[in-house]
Amino acid sequence: MEIRTLKPEEFDASMELGEYAFQYRVTAEEKEKARKRFKPENTWGIFDEDGRLSAKLGLLNVDIFVNGRKMPMSGVAGVATWPENRRQGLVKQLLTHSLKVMNESGKLLSMLHPFSFAFYRKYGWEMFNDYKKYVIPTEKLPAKQVTEGTVRRDVKDIPVLNRIYEAYASRYNGMMVRSEDRWKHAILGDEDHTAVFYDASGEPQGFLLYKVEKQEMEVHEFVWLTEESRRALWTFICNHDSMIKQAVLAQMPMDDGLTYMLADPRITQEIHPFGMARIVNVAGFIEAYAFQGTGEEQTWTVRLRDPYAPWNEGNWRITVSPEGNAAVSKEDEGEPAQLSCDIQTLTTLMFGYKRPGELVNMGRLAGDPEAAALLERVIPAGRTFLLDFF
């Protein structure tokens, strides 16, 4: 068996495996478009002794926001194995190898969308985000409100959309930084409409990405920077009431507060777990992390378990300055640590998906209660969200 990146001429083999594993078919035109955008250096495969591709995965190298800072992340996507090669540990080998590649290339984090949460938990990824989906009959939509700004439909100016998006995304842990290429090929579909709200001074402050068909308005992205922009975009949705029977908000953050603002909050709501994350390099991530400064220097030690990224294993001393900047050092493994956990727990803790006290109660974070209480003070009460699928 050989593990290596694919070659340009192996695009067809990769596409054939992907189509089989994920049960889809692309047209000849779509295939040629995909061929032009194929990045073999970001696709890893395991090849048998005859040089046949047995399993593969792709790496999407982008930055994500954590506590308002951009951090380098490698997303795992397109993991596939031929059925005759399954249950031979090939994906395990690919994931272990990819973690080493990520670490050596300076990536601090990794994310993925799992076919099975339990499967990827074994390798250190953990769920970090939920989103809400709403189905709202037109008679239960929020009341229309007059705002001073203007909503312009079908604005496809990517710099404008991205400026709004990044200001919004920086509020949440886990949101991706989008390139122009991603906007063109993964976000703005041919059948989608946009609606951008400009305030009275002409500044863009929010947008919708949506489509209307079969008397339904489906909003894929509802992004707002101010309450005025949120009200204006809701009014834009409500102005479709003669065309639609219901509005579907496909993906909203858990803290959006919509039902509280509705006259009748008894609408259909669904909560969906969406996405997993893991820290790739603990020392680098913690030193890049924006802690909540307490005005005093704070120090604690943690014993970390991470068998698939052994550079993270062991005892770590973390010192946070009065301003919230961290320094990390490796400690003698023979010395007792104040806290202990696995990489999954540390990831969900640092993202803000679960608070230290919750993890202590769940038995996921063990050790000195005073050290756990310290984490409550220095880890910001972050909010997680992820709009992108990859």
Side-chain angles (χ1 to χ4, degrees):
M1 290 285 184
E2 177 189 18
I3 298 179
R4 61 170 173 81
T5 55
L6 270 61
K7 301 173 183 177
E9 59 269 24
E10 290 167 333
F11 168 81
D12 289 319
S14 176
M15 180 65 76
E16 183 183 5
L17 174 53
E19 286 184 313
Y20 189 95
F22 299 112
Q23 303 173 56
Y24 68 88
R25 284 289 180 270
V26 298
T27 65
E29 181 182 359
E30 291 170 335
K31 188 173 183 178
E32 288 311 304
K33 288 181 180 179
R35 189 189 304 276
K36 292 177 182 177
R37 301 184 64 243
F38 178 54
K39 296 181 179 180
E41 68 276 12
N42 291 337
T43 305
W44 288 86
I46 292 187
F47 296 81
D48 64 20
E49 56 274 8
D50 297 322
R52 180 175 177 268
L53 180 64
S54 301
K56 66 161 186 135
L57 63 75
L59 297 180
L60 174 66
N61 297 314
V62 299
D63 288 350
I64 65 170
F65 288 99
V66 179
N67 293 345
R69 295 180 177 178
K70 295 178 181 180
M71 294 194 181
M73 188 278 297
S74 196
V76 177
V79 181
T81 312
W82 288 109
E84 62 269 26
N85 299 123
R86 289 175 188 160
R87 295 172 180 83
Q88 299 174 17
L90 301 188
V91 171
K92 176 181 177 180
Q93 293 180 54
L94 278 175
L95 290 173
T96 303
H97 183 79
S98 69
L99 283 170
K100 183 180 177 182
V101 170
M102 293 177 204
N103 186 50
E104 291 175 349
S105 63
K107 302 299 181 291
L108 300 180
L109 297 159
S110 178
M111 298 197 306
L112 55 80
H113 293 286
F115 77 93
S116 163
F117 282 87
F119 178 84
Y120 284 103
R121 275 181 170 139
K122 293 186 296 185
Y123 303 106
W125 280 266
E126 183 55 273
M127 64 182 294
F128 79 98
N129 167 60
D130 304 301
Y131 70 81
K132 288 192 284 190
K133 176 181 177 180
Y134 296 114
V135 180
I136 312 174
T138 51
E139 66 271 16
K140 293 189 177 183
L141 287 169
K144 300 175 185 179
Q145 299 186 51
V146 177
T147 54
E148 293 186 4
T150 303
V151 175
R152 300 177 191 172
R153 187 173 44 81
D154 287 336
V155 174
K156 296 295 178 76
D157 187 329
I158 290 175
V160 168
L161 296 173
N162 195 58
R163 177 150 54 100
I164 301 168
Y165 168 81
E166 285 213 354
Y168 177 80
S170 65
R171 301 173 178 177
Y172 292 96
N173 296 338
M175 290 281 274
M176 288 174 50
V177 176
R178 292 175 175 174
S179 65
E180 182 176 357
D181 182 75
R182 184 161 188 82
W183 275 104
K184 287 180 178 179
H185 299 286
I187 307 301
L188 296 175
D190 293 337
E191 298 179 0
D192 291 321
H193 296 282
T194 67
V196 177
F197 172 73
Y198 295 81
D199 66 17
S201 66
E203 283 297 308
Q205 299 286 357
F207 71 80
L208 302 175
L209 179 62
Y210 70 97
K211 66 179 180 181
V212 181
E213 60 182 12
K214 297 179 180 179
Q215 295 185 300
E216 177 180 278
M217 183 176 190
E218 183 174 5
V219 179
H220 306 299
E221 297 190 5
F222 191 145
V223 174
W224 72 93
L225 302 184
T226 64
E227 283 303 313
E228 181 186 42
S229 61
R230 175 153 65 166
R231 291 194 297 269
L233 291 171
W234 266 119
T235 297
F236 178 81
I237 293 172
C238 295
N239 284 337
H240 290 75
D241 55 0
S242 64
M243 300 170 54
I244 63 174
K245 292 182 177 179
Q246 64 183 25
V248 176
L249 276 64
Q251 206 165 334
M252 297 291 284
M254 293 297 292
D255 66 343
D256 76 298
L258 172 63
T259 51
Y260 183 75
M261 296 182 290
L262 294 177
D264 184 353
R266 290 170 294 186
I267 59 173
T268 300
Q269 302 180 63
E270 299 174 358
I271 296 176
H272 295 263
F274 188 69
M276 302 183 79
R278 67 118 69 219
I279 298 170
V280 171
N281 185 293
V282 165
F285 172 74
I286 290 177
E287 290 188 343
Y289 189 87
F291 286 90
Q292 180 67 49
T294 63
E296 299 178 353
E297 185 175 277
Q298 306 287 356
T299 301
W300 69 95
T301 56
V302 58
R303 182 184 295 276
L304 186 64
R305 301 183 299 278
D306 191 0
Y308 290 97
W311 53 87
N312 289 333
E313 289 234 309
N315 286 2
W316 296 93
R317 177 174 295 276
I318 302 168
T319 301
V320 175
S321 73
E323 297 76 29
N325 300 312
V328 182
S329 61
K330 204 73 174 284
E331 295 290 292
D332 186 345
E333 293 196 24
E335 295 295 323
Q338 293 170 285
L339 297 167
S340 65
C341 65
D342 55 24
I343 192 67
Q344 297 95 322
T345 300
L346 185 65
T347 299
T348 199
L349 172 68
M350 301 299 285
F351 267 75
Y353 183 63
K354 296 296 179 186
R355 297 300 297 168
E358 292 181 272
L359 294 166
V360 168
N361 291 337
M362 293 175 186
R364 297 288 299 272
L365 180 65
D368 181 2
E370 290 187 7
L374 170 60
L375 296 186
E376 290 280 4
R377 297 196 299 272
V378 299
I379 294 178
R383 302 175 294 172
T384 61
F385 192 38
L386 175 62
L387 277 169
D388 290 67
F389 186 84
F390 51 88

